[in-house]
Amino acid sequence: LYENGTMTGPFIKVNCGAIPDNLLESELFGYEAGAFTGANRKGKAGLIELADNGTLYLDEIADLPLPLQVKLLGVIQDRQVSRLGSTKQKSNNFRIIAATNADLQTRVATGQFRADLYYRLNVISFRIPPLRQRREDIFPLADFFLKELNKEYQKHIFFEPRAIHLLNSYDWPGNIRELKNTLERIVVMINQACITQEILQQNLLSWREKSNPQSLPASMLWDQDGGLKEKMARFEQAVIADAIREHRTLGEAAKALKIDISTLVRKKKRLFSQRPPQN
């Protein structure tokens, strides 16, 4: 919406649930010098004012206190904003995007959200289903987040096949935020190249086993992005990781893979100590 819109000004994001009620009004509407104890001597422009000719993104709009809902409705209708402690109205033209996890219709019915503000905001609405209802999006999102985290923390971590299966079978009650935060916690904490099923399992807050991830073939890794060399290296990593995990010694793992133990040791060192080669 923001990138394809006609507004050329800034994108201002406000989390209505993260700012204390007593500060939210001054953050949104700004204030004049001396408006209250501790106010900046020069006053301060509010976030609504800063969004002029741009977009104001109100996250968790359901948490906006009722008195501020009245003021916001007035700003939307009149296209004018007044700082705290001021009698002057300033014209303001901005687009509003509002988001919430709550059922606003229920909150309107119970008097927790103003009906007039709800209908004023509800011009074009989109319902984004939770991750558990669009499981085809889970792994692409996880793969994207892992690549970004690898860049940020200068690591070369990848998923084993059983971990991918667990990613897709978990319900992710916290949705995308839980997915991203879980992966970041794992990337920061582990000292190995592979996110295994066990590591992922230990970091899921409400994991319950629903299936047998061990039955998943390593070939699932073929669906990840990359050129032929990167795909082959990732596949080989997964096969070797499975063999080492399933056998008590490297000798037994090498025998199962039908290679010499010296070859296994060399491959293990090469594959798990550096990034897979790229085309």
Side-chain angles (χ1 to χ4, degrees), residues 5 35 70 113 116 128 144 156 160-161:
V70 178
F113 199 86
D116 45 8
I128 302 177
F144 171 78
H156 310 298
E160 71 156 6

Side-chain angles (χ1 to χ4, degrees), residues 29-70:
F29 297 93
Y31 57 83
E32 292 293 340
F36 52 85
T37 303
N40 189 303
R41 293 180 181 179
K42 297 181 180 179
K44 181 181 177 182
L47 296 174
I48 294 176
E49 191 175 332
L50 294 175
D52 192 27
N53 292 318
T55 298
L56 180 68
Y57 173 46
L58 298 175
D59 197 10
E60 303 299 346
I61 185 69
D63 293 332
L64 191 68
L66 283 169
L68 293 189
Q69 292 180 27
V70 178

Side-chain angles (χ1 to χ4, degrees), residues 109-208:
T110 58
Q112 296 174 287
F113 199 86
R114 291 184 61 93
D116 45 8
L117 179 59
Y118 171 73
Y119 292 118
R120 194 68 180 81
L121 291 173
N122 193 27
V123 178
I124 301 175
S125 61
F126 299 93
R127 180 184 177 274
I128 302 177
L131 278 180
R132 65 180 178 274
Q133 293 180 12
R134 48 190 179 102
R135 296 188 183 276
E136 68 279 3
D137 291 340
I138 294 176
F139 181 67
L141 285 168
D143 191 42
F144 171 78
F145 290 142
L146 184 59
K147 287 177 179 176
E148 292 297 307
L149 291 167
N150 274 332
K151 290 179 183 177
E152 181 177 354
Y153 294 102
Q154 297 182 341
K155 293 189 175 183
H156 310 298
I157 296 173
F158 65 97
F159 293 108
E160 71 156 6
R162 297 185 309 147
I164 297 174
H165 186 59
L166 182 54
L167 280 170
N168 291 325
S169 62
Y170 181 62
D171 281 344
W172 299 105
N175 289 302
I176 291 178
R177 288 174 181 168
E178 181 184 5
L179 174 60
K180 183 178 180 180
N181 291 341
T182 297
L183 293 177
E184 184 166 12
R185 181 167 59 251
I186 291 172
V187 169
V188 169
M189 296 298 295
I190 67 173
N191 293 315
Q192 60 189 68
C194 180
I195 297 179
T196 65
Q197 174 203 333
E198 290 77 15
I199 290 174
L200 180 59
Q201 188 174 302
Q202 292 166 6
N203 284 275
L204 297 178
L205 297 179
S206 32
W207 177 80
R208 295 290 183 275

